Amino acid sequence: MELIDKIRNVQDFPKPGIGFKDITTLLRDGAAFRQAVVQMAQLYQDQQLDGIVGIESRGFIFAAALAYALGVGMIPVRKPGKLPFTTLSATFALEYGTDAVEIHVDALKEDDRILIVDDLLATGGTVAATAHLVEQLGGRVVGCCFLIELDFLHARDHLAGYRIDSLIHFDA
Ligand code: AMP
């Protein structure tokens, strides 16, 4: 089965010019969802992970399943104001304006080996900010794993030094 065939492209969502990669069609297919999680697990099963960071909100779906599969704890990184305890925040640039992500200050320990998971790598701003949070807390980013990567946005150019894995690639 080709996982790419399970992704639905929704043109002009949420605004004109954007080709939105809809993962709900993959999630709805039990074999495809499982295959995606198994492939992610195979990539990182020998990495002695101490925690898996999931980025709100679609990242939670894959991070939680992968954490369960590998028997590792899951750490949520969320949009501002959502986490109840004391947080650390990182701001990043969007096409227009800025956005931010937050993590609980006690979410990980010094030298913890952390995998960051999200559904899709576009410009890389979100994952770069998330990696910064992990490192500020003393964690080590062992890798960043995505279901989908939009190769034409060249996020890897801004993520030098990090291991990046994506199961599905779109080059246009
Ligand atoms: P970025 O910070 O540019 O790498 O954006 C990554 C985040 O935006 C991910 O959490 C994605 O869920 C979302 N995203 C960006 N572009 C798309 C797209 N074309 N289709 C679906 N989700 C997207």
Side-chain angles (χ1 to χ4, degrees):
M1 179 207 318
E2 295 291 341
L3 292 179
I4 195 167
D5 297 337
K6 304 295 176 182
I7 304 298
R8 175 165 56 193
N9 189 69
V10 182
Q11 203 51 45
D12 299 323
F13 181 88
K15 52 185 180 182
I18 304 288
F20 192 87
K21 304 304 178 208
D22 178 14
I23 63 164
T24 63
T25 38
L26 181 144
L27 296 174
R28 183 66 180 85
D29 182 320
F33 186 20
R34 173 175 280 178
Q35 184 178 316
V37 176
V38 165
Q39 280 182 229
M40 288 182 178
Q42 285 169 347
L43 290 168
Y44 285 94
Q45 64 192 357
D46 299 325
Q47 286 296 319
Q48 284 102 31
L49 298 176
D50 295 304
I52 297 180
V53 163
I55 303 176
E56 182 173 7
S57 57
R58 290 183 294 274
F60 289 172
I61 298 167
F62 292 95
L66 185 56
Y68 179 86
L70 293 176
V72 173
M74 190 253 174
I75 301 160
V77 157
R78 301 203 63 180
K79 305 281 165 56
K82 297 286 184 76
L83 287 169
F85 188 60
T86 312
T87 56
L88 192 63
S89 186
T91 310
F92 57 98
L94 292 177
E95 198 177 352
Y96 301 103
T98 60
D99 206 348
V101 282
E102 296 186 344
I103 193 169
H104 274 151
V105 291
D106 63 351
L108 53 101
K109 303 188 304 299
E110 193 80 21
D111 288 333
D112 269 358
R113 294 172 59 78
I114 300 298
L115 173 66
I116 299 173
V117 175
D118 203 358
D119 68 322
L120 185 143
L121 177 62
T123 66
T126 312
V127 70
T130 302
H132 187 58
L133 289 178
V134 169
E135 288 165 353
Q136 271 185 285
L137 292 177
R140 285 195 271 161
V141 178
V142 169
C144 306
C145 188
F146 304 89
L147 178 68
I148 302 167
E149 178 171 350
L150 305 183
D151 294 355
F152 55 91
L153 294 177
H154 304 293
R156 286 174 192 247
D157 296 352
H158 313 292
L159 297 167
Y162 294 109
R163 174 179 170 181
I164 311 287
D165 292 288
S166 305
L167 304 188
I168 300 168
H169 294 266
F170 287 95
D171 48 23

Short mmCIF file of all heavy atoms in Angstrom, two decimals, residues 54-60 74 76-80 82-83 101-102 117-119 126:
data_model
loop_
_atom_site.label_atom_id
_atom_site.label_comp_id
_atom_site.label_asym_id
_atom_site.label_seq_id
_atom_site.Cartn_x
_atom_site.Cartn_y
_atom_site.Cartn_z
N GLY A 54 4.92 15.63 20.81
CA GLY A 54 3.91 15.78 19.76
C GLY A 54 3.49 17.23 19.68
O GLY A 54 3.31 17.89 20.71
N ILE A 55 3.39 17.75 18.46
CA ILE A 55 3.03 19.15 18.26
C ILE A 55 1.52 19.25 17.99
O ILE A 55 1.00 18.58 17.09
CB ILE A 55 3.83 19.77 17.09
CG1 ILE A 55 5.34 19.63 17.35
CG2 ILE A 55 3.43 21.22 16.89
CD1 ILE A 55 6.23 20.13 16.21
N GLU A 56 0.85 20.13 18.75
CA GLU A 56 -0.59 20.35 18.60
C GLU A 56 -0.93 20.75 17.16
O GLU A 56 -0.24 21.56 16.59
CB GLU A 56 -1.03 21.46 19.55
CG GLU A 56 -2.51 21.73 19.51
CD GLU A 56 -2.96 22.73 20.58
OE1 GLU A 56 -2.12 23.30 21.27
OE2 GLU A 56 -4.17 22.90 20.69
N SER A 57 -2.02 20.28 16.63
CA SER A 57 -2.84 19.24 17.23
C SER A 57 -2.75 17.93 16.45
O SER A 57 -2.86 16.85 17.03
CB SER A 57 -4.31 19.69 17.28
OG SER A 57 -4.75 20.02 15.98
N ARG A 58 -2.53 18.00 15.16
CA ARG A 58 -2.48 16.73 14.40
C ARG A 58 -1.24 15.92 14.74
O ARG A 58 -1.24 14.69 14.60
CB ARG A 58 -2.58 17.00 12.89
CG ARG A 58 -3.97 17.47 12.47
CD ARG A 58 -4.06 17.64 10.97
NE ARG A 58 -3.22 18.71 10.47
CZ ARG A 58 -3.57 19.99 10.42
NH1 ARG A 58 -4.78 20.35 10.82
NH2 ARG A 58 -2.74 20.90 9.97
N GLY A 59 -0.19 16.60 15.24
CA GLY A 59 0.99 15.87 15.67
C GLY A 59 0.70 14.94 16.84
O GLY A 59 1.36 13.90 16.99
N PHE A 60 -0.28 15.32 17.67
CA PHE A 60 -0.64 14.48 18.83
C PHE A 60 -1.06 13.08 18.39
O PHE A 60 -0.79 12.09 19.08
CB PHE A 60 -1.82 15.07 19.60
CG PHE A 60 -1.51 16.33 20.38
CD1 PHE A 60 -2.55 17.04 20.99
CD2 PHE A 60 -0.22 16.81 20.53
CE1 PHE A 60 -2.29 18.19 21.72
CE2 PHE A 60 0.05 17.96 21.25
CZ PHE A 60 -0.99 18.65 21.85
N MET A 74 4.87 10.48 26.26
CA MET A 74 4.55 11.49 25.26
C MET A 74 4.44 12.87 25.91
O MET A 74 3.86 13.00 27.00
CB MET A 74 3.23 11.12 24.57
CG MET A 74 2.91 11.95 23.35
SD MET A 74 1.58 13.07 23.75
CE MET A 74 1.47 14.06 22.27
N PRO A 76 3.28 16.82 25.24
CA PRO A 76 2.59 17.72 24.32
C PRO A 76 3.26 19.10 24.25
O PRO A 76 3.60 19.69 25.28
CB PRO A 76 1.18 17.85 24.93
CG PRO A 76 1.34 17.50 26.36
CD PRO A 76 2.57 16.64 26.51
N VAL A 77 3.43 19.59 23.02
CA VAL A 77 3.81 20.99 22.78
C VAL A 77 2.56 21.65 22.19
O VAL A 77 2.01 21.14 21.21
CB VAL A 77 5.03 21.09 21.84
CG1 VAL A 77 5.08 22.44 21.15
CG2 VAL A 77 6.31 20.85 22.63
N ARG A 78 2.13 22.76 22.83
CA ARG A 78 0.83 23.30 22.47
C ARG A 78 0.87 24.77 22.10
O ARG A 78 1.85 25.47 22.34
CB ARG A 78 -0.16 23.09 23.65
CG ARG A 78 -0.33 21.63 24.04
CD ARG A 78 -1.64 21.41 24.76
NE ARG A 78 -2.78 21.70 23.91
CZ ARG A 78 -4.05 21.59 24.28
NH1 ARG A 78 -4.34 21.22 25.51
NH2 ARG A 78 -5.02 21.86 23.45
N LYS A 79 -0.21 25.25 21.54
CA LYS A 79 -0.38 26.67 21.25
C LYS A 79 -0.46 27.43 22.57
O LYS A 79 -0.82 26.84 23.60
CB LYS A 79 -1.67 26.88 20.44
CG LYS A 79 -1.75 26.05 19.16
CD LYS A 79 -0.92 26.67 18.04
CE LYS A 79 -0.69 25.70 16.90
NZ LYS A 79 -1.90 25.13 16.29
N PRO A 80 -0.15 28.74 22.56
CA PRO A 80 -0.11 29.51 23.82
C PRO A 80 -1.41 29.43 24.62
O PRO A 80 -2.51 29.45 24.07
CB PRO A 80 0.13 30.95 23.33
CG PRO A 80 0.83 30.78 22.04
CD PRO A 80 0.26 29.54 21.41
N LYS A 82 -2.65 26.98 26.50
CA LYS A 82 -3.37 25.71 26.61
C LYS A 82 -2.84 24.81 27.72
O LYS A 82 -3.59 24.02 28.28
CB LYS A 82 -3.30 24.94 25.29
CG LYS A 82 -3.95 25.63 24.11
CD LYS A 82 -5.45 25.58 24.22
CE LYS A 82 -6.14 26.17 23.00
NZ LYS A 82 -6.10 25.31 21.84
N LEU A 83 -1.53 24.92 28.02
CA LEU A 83 -0.95 24.03 29.04
C LEU A 83 -1.16 24.65 30.42
O LEU A 83 -0.89 25.84 30.62
CB LEU A 83 0.54 23.80 28.76
CG LEU A 83 0.86 22.91 27.56
CD1 LEU A 83 2.34 22.99 27.23
CD2 LEU A 83 0.45 21.47 27.82
N VAL A 101 4.76 28.39 20.40
CA VAL A 101 4.48 27.06 20.95
C VAL A 101 5.00 27.03 22.38
O VAL A 101 5.94 27.76 22.73
CB VAL A 101 5.13 25.92 20.13
CG1 VAL A 101 4.34 25.65 18.87
CG2 VAL A 101 6.59 26.23 19.80
N GLU A 102 4.38 26.20 23.20
CA GLU A 102 4.75 26.13 24.62
C GLU A 102 4.93 24.68 25.07
O GLU A 102 4.32 23.76 24.53
CB GLU A 102 3.67 26.80 25.48
CG GLU A 102 3.54 28.28 25.21
CD GLU A 102 2.58 28.99 26.16
OE1 GLU A 102 1.78 28.32 26.83
OE2 GLU A 102 2.62 30.23 26.21
N VAL A 117 7.55 14.83 16.84
CA VAL A 117 6.65 14.28 15.82
C VAL A 117 5.57 15.30 15.45
O VAL A 117 4.97 15.93 16.33
CB VAL A 117 5.97 12.98 16.32
CG1 VAL A 117 4.94 12.48 15.32
CG2 VAL A 117 7.02 11.90 16.57
N ASP A 118 5.35 15.47 14.14
CA ASP A 118 4.22 16.27 13.67
C ASP A 118 3.67 15.60 12.42
O ASP A 118 4.31 14.72 11.84
CB ASP A 118 4.64 17.71 13.40
CG ASP A 118 3.46 18.68 13.45
OD1 ASP A 118 2.31 18.24 13.66
OD2 ASP A 118 3.69 19.89 13.28
N ASP A 119 2.49 16.03 12.01
CA ASP A 119 1.89 15.39 10.83
C ASP A 119 2.57 15.84 9.55
O ASP A 119 2.71 15.06 8.62
CB ASP A 119 0.38 15.66 10.76
CG ASP A 119 0.03 17.11 10.48
OD1 ASP A 119 0.73 18.01 11.02
OD2 ASP A 119 -0.93 17.37 9.73
N THR A 126 7.60 25.66 12.79
CA THR A 126 7.01 25.06 13.99
C THR A 126 7.98 24.08 14.65
O THR A 126 8.18 24.10 15.87
CB THR A 126 5.70 24.32 13.64
OG1 THR A 126 4.89 25.16 12.83
CG2 THR A 126 4.95 23.94 14.90
#
